[in-house]
Amino acid sequence: MWTRIARALRPWPKHPLDKLYGIETSSKVRRFQLMTGDAETNKANNGYGGSQPSIVRKALESLPPLREASFIDLGAGKGRVSAVATEYPFARNIGVELSATLCKVMTRNSERMSRAFPDRTRIEVVEGDASRPALPPSGDVVLFLCNSFRGPLVARLVKHIGEAWGDRPDRKLFFVYYNPVHAHLLDADPGFVRYAAEWCKFLPEEAATTPFANDYDSVVIWQRRSKAMAEPRPGAEREVVFDFPDFGCFVKI
């Protein structure tokens, strides 16, 4: 654990995705720099840390065919995951982030991506509460969360989704949870059903830039219970083991 903490305190190297797309998602932003006017949010804030694109791609490519789907990154930070999502044919690509500081960076990154790739879906930057996102009125939805906040806000998010989504028998909603340290909250909700659970190694060039000592991460995907549900993938019920409270876990394979 102390090795991971010591490495996180060093300057973070430039990520390969930033070099590929000419964006900035690598530099460190400490937790105290992301304080807002909401005491509960401040307490549950885990700070900024980017997901590894190769794992995001594996998760998105494991999903079944979707219809006019919207991608929503919750606690989007600087927009690294949103940038990866531009590689896929989502009808909308939305990054929800409460920090005005990070929203400014994500907006610059969105503009750079749009200039470089005008045929891709533009990243929409929403400055707001990622635990209470607005859900699109039509089409399927893919929600993405990378351990951006702690248990109380994850619980609030799960409750909000249930209330906001309601009964949509002909639409699909998937919840992709990267580093799912509060997986038990979704497992305990009868409205969610496991779709997939994977342990994934980083690409070597990604492992060289991670702020922590790990060279892997885990992803669990749930789908909202409905008549439109897809068949779960093999291993969907794998156990999630917690090795660093609030910050780290892995899918046992």
Side-chain angles (χ1 to χ4, degrees):
M1 181 178 77
W2 295 112
T3 301
R4 295 178 72 176
I5 293 173
R7 186 165 179 175
L9 294 175
R10 301 172 185 170
W12 295 359
K14 190 176 184 67
H15 195 279
L17 193 79
D18 289 3
K19 298 175 183 178
L20 175 66
Y21 284 148
I23 58 178
E24 196 291 289
T25 68
S26 303
S27 62
K28 185 182 303 184
V29 182
R30 298 186 184 277
R31 181 172 178 268
F32 72 84
Q33 295 174 281
L34 303 178
M35 295 294 101
T36 69
D38 184 287
E40 184 178 12
T41 301
N42 291 344
K43 186 177 180 180
N45 169 23
N46 275 343
Y48 171 73
S51 303
Q52 295 295 7
S54 64
I55 299 180
V56 176
R57 292 181 182 115
K58 286 179 182 178
L60 296 182
E61 288 164 10
S62 76
L63 297 175
L66 301 173
R67 179 173 52 86
E68 290 296 307
S70 296
F71 179 84
I72 306 176
D73 185 8
L74 304 171
K78 298 180 180 182
R80 179 184 293 176
V81 171
S82 298
V84 173
T86 68
E87 299 169 4
Y88 299 86
F90 290 110
R92 296 181 67 187
N93 184 345
I94 305 166
V96 184
E97 171 58 52
L98 189 59
S99 165
T101 299
L102 294 181
C103 280
K104 289 178 182 177
V105 179
M106 182 166 34
T107 298
R108 288 197 296 270
N109 288 334
S110 173
E111 291 169 350
R112 289 171 182 170
M113 292 292 296
S114 292
R115 287 195 297 270
F117 304 97
D119 294 334
R120 295 187 184 184
T121 301
R122 182 181 178 86
I123 300 169
E124 303 174 37
V125 179
V126 175
E127 184 177 336
D129 184 355
S131 70
R132 297 189 182 101
L135 300 180
S138 62
D140 298 329
V141 173
V142 177
L143 300 173
F144 183 95
L145 179 67
C146 176
N147 193 30
S148 302
F149 36 73
R150 302 182 189 181
L153 293 192
V154 178
R156 190 162 80 184
L157 171 62
V158 172
K159 180 181 179 182
H160 168 79
I161 294 170
E163 294 172 348
W165 189 253
D167 182 22
R168 309 288 181 92
D170 300 321
R171 295 172 63 192
K172 295 184 179 72
L173 182 145
F174 286 89
F175 189 111
V176 181
Y177 197 171
Y178 184 117
N179 190 20
V181 296
H182 300 291
H184 62 284
L185 295 173
L186 286 111
D187 284 337
D189 189 301
F192 284 97
V193 179
R194 288 269 196 113
Y195 173 74
E198 297 290 345
W199 179 94
C200 307
K201 292 272 285 186
F202 300 163
L203 294 177
E205 59 269 28
E206 294 174 337
T209 66
T210 180
F212 304 105
N214 58 308
D215 63 353
Y216 68 89
D217 264 319
S218 294
V219 175
V220 178
I221 304 175
W222 290 261
Q223 55 184 326
R224 193 69 188 168
R225 192 181 296 277
S226 77
K227 294 179 181 179
M229 284 194 306
E231 188 72 22
R233 293 174 65 86
E237 295 304 320
R238 289 171 176 148
E239 180 185 3
V240 179
V241 179
F242 304 94
D243 59 352
F244 196 4
D246 274 328
F247 292 100
C249 68
F250 63 92
V251 168
K252 189 174 181 179
I253 59 174

